[in-house]
Amino acid sequence: MNDVKTIILEQVNNFGIIRRISKYEEKATYQSHYLGLIWQFLNPAIQIGIYYLVFGLGVNQGKKTDGVPFIIWMLIGITAWFFINSSILGGSNSIYKQVGMVSKMKFPVSILPMVNISSNFVSYRAMMLVLLASMFGFGIYPTIYWLQYFYYFFCMIAFLFAFGILNSTITVLVRDYHIMLQSILRLLFYLSGPIWNFRTMFQGTEHRWIIKVLELNPIYYIIDGFRDSFLSKQWFWEKGTQTVFFWLIVGFLMIIGSHVHMKFRARFVDFI
């Protein structure tokens, strides 16, 4: 637990550095492009359009899902997924890419996964504005359930940070891990609920166990939680088993990730 405490304190004590580096990375990534930071919004917008044509109009034939237009239902899930996906992939590669710079400067490498998460907020905020505008356009307005959005947002950041500490360390030790993670995330896209409504797909009692298994996926828990909030379905404490299991996973990832990180970080440069 001392390793976990050390890692968390490093984030708190270096909060200003995290913000400054993340802002620099946002500008540096697209500075050579004509449209600049607009690409952080334009790129996912194009993908959303493709997914809606294929799954909304094609597979789902324009039908409503959970009582709302499919585009709204999908936007809630896909907005969270894009942020989660980019943060996991970017976080896993964050130390490997920057360890040379960090070795010459005085700040802990443990903040680099959080730097990556922070730099992804620009596109996430833009997509959230589009989501809110779309919901208002379809007559979906705030209710008391929307307050739990902040809980699920905290869940998302906690999971991404805990997973990022572990992933970024393993990527330095085993370079092939980052490539394997990309393949796993492609599979998780279809198993985490951004575009599929599994409750509708497996309505029969015979296949009910499939939903129970999928609900153990922490990414599914987050995405489904955002839908519970914005579509005013249920409170997070009504999903007691899922909630407990989710925080057990986050705690496990944080403990293992912090321990491995502290054990090897003094030798990161040697491994690279």
Side-chain angles (χ1 to χ4, degrees):
M1 292 302 292
N2 288 333
D3 291 337
V4 174
K5 181 180 178 181
T6 299
I7 294 295
I8 293 176
L9 285 176
E10 286 177 348
Q11 312 308 307
V12 175
N13 296 334
N14 293 276
F15 180 73
I17 295 176
I18 292 174
R19 289 191 61 187
R20 288 194 293 272
I21 298 178
S22 63
K23 287 182 179 180
Y24 170 78
E25 287 195 350
E26 289 169 12
K27 296 178 181 178
T29 302
Y30 296 100
Q31 66 178 356
S32 61
H33 298 74
Y34 289 114
L35 297 180
L37 292 175
I38 295 176
W39 280 111
Q40 287 193 325
F41 166 73
L42 191 59
N43 188 44
I46 293 172
Q47 294 183 61
I48 288 172
I50 295 172
Y51 290 139
Y52 178 67
L53 287 175
V54 174
F55 297 101
L57 299 181
V59 177
N60 204 51
Q61 298 181 349
K63 299 176 183 177
K64 288 187 174 183
T65 303
D66 284 348
V68 298
F70 181 82
I71 184 64
I72 299 297
W73 186 89
M74 186 189 74
L75 269 176
I76 297 173
I78 212 77
T79 297
W81 169 259
F82 281 145
F83 180 73
I84 291 170
N85 181 67
S86 59
S87 295
I88 290 177
L89 286 179
S92 69
N93 215 26
S94 58
I95 294 179
Y96 182 87
K97 289 173 57 179
Q98 304 290 350
V99 73
M101 176 190 72
V102 173
S103 63
K104 302 174 184 177
M105 302 179 70
K106 293 183 178 180
F107 61 81
V109 292
S110 68
I111 71 171
L112 292 177
M114 183 57 76
V115 167
N116 178 263
I117 293 172
S118 299
S119 66
N120 289 323
F121 276 135
V122 172
S123 57
Y124 179 74
R125 287 195 300 264
M127 292 187 66
M128 282 300 298
L129 289 175
V130 172
L131 170 60
L132 291 173
S134 300
M135 286 194 293
F136 293 154
F138 281 98
I140 302 172
Y141 300 109
T143 67
I144 190 68
Y145 286 92
W146 283 36
L147 290 175
Q148 69 178 346
Y149 164 80
F150 299 103
Y151 163 75
Y152 283 109
F153 181 80
F154 177 76
C155 289
M156 182 169 65
I157 298 302
F159 169 73
L160 290 175
F161 176 68
F163 202 27
I165 287 292
L166 179 61
N167 288 336
S168 59
T169 303
I170 296 178
T171 298
V172 173
L173 304 178
V174 183
R175 187 57 188 153
D176 292 345
Y177 179 76
H178 180 72
I179 299 175
M180 182 185 71
L181 193 61
Q182 290 177 315
S183 300
I184 292 174
L185 284 172
R186 291 191 189 101
L187 175 63
L188 283 177
F189 173 72
Y190 296 99
L191 298 179
S192 300
I195 56 174
W196 296 118
N197 188 342
F198 296 116
R199 292 190 179 93
T200 302
M201 293 173 61
F202 303 108
Q203 285 181 337
T205 55
E206 180 183 351
H207 301 292
R208 183 67 184 173
W209 64 271
I210 298 177
I211 299 176
K212 295 296 183 182
V213 172
L214 292 172
E215 287 176 344
L216 299 179
N217 176 358
I219 300 177
Y220 180 91
Y221 175 79
I222 294 168
I223 291 176
D224 197 48
F226 283 136
R227 290 193 175 117
D228 288 343
S229 303
F230 290 125
L231 302 182
S232 304
K233 293 165 64 179
Q234 63 178 332
W235 296 103
F236 69 88
W237 57 76
E238 296 179 56
K239 302 193 294 187
T241 303
Q242 288 177 257
T243 299
V244 170
F245 188 78
F246 172 83
W247 285 112
L248 285 175
I249 290 178
V250 172
F252 175 78
L253 292 174
M254 191 68 202
I255 292 171
I256 299 299
S258 298
H259 176 71
V260 175
H261 178 87
M262 296 300 294
K263 181 178 181 179
F264 290 103
R265 75 173 179 180
R267 297 158 50 198
F268 280 163
V269 176
D270 297 332
F271 281 107
I272 295 177

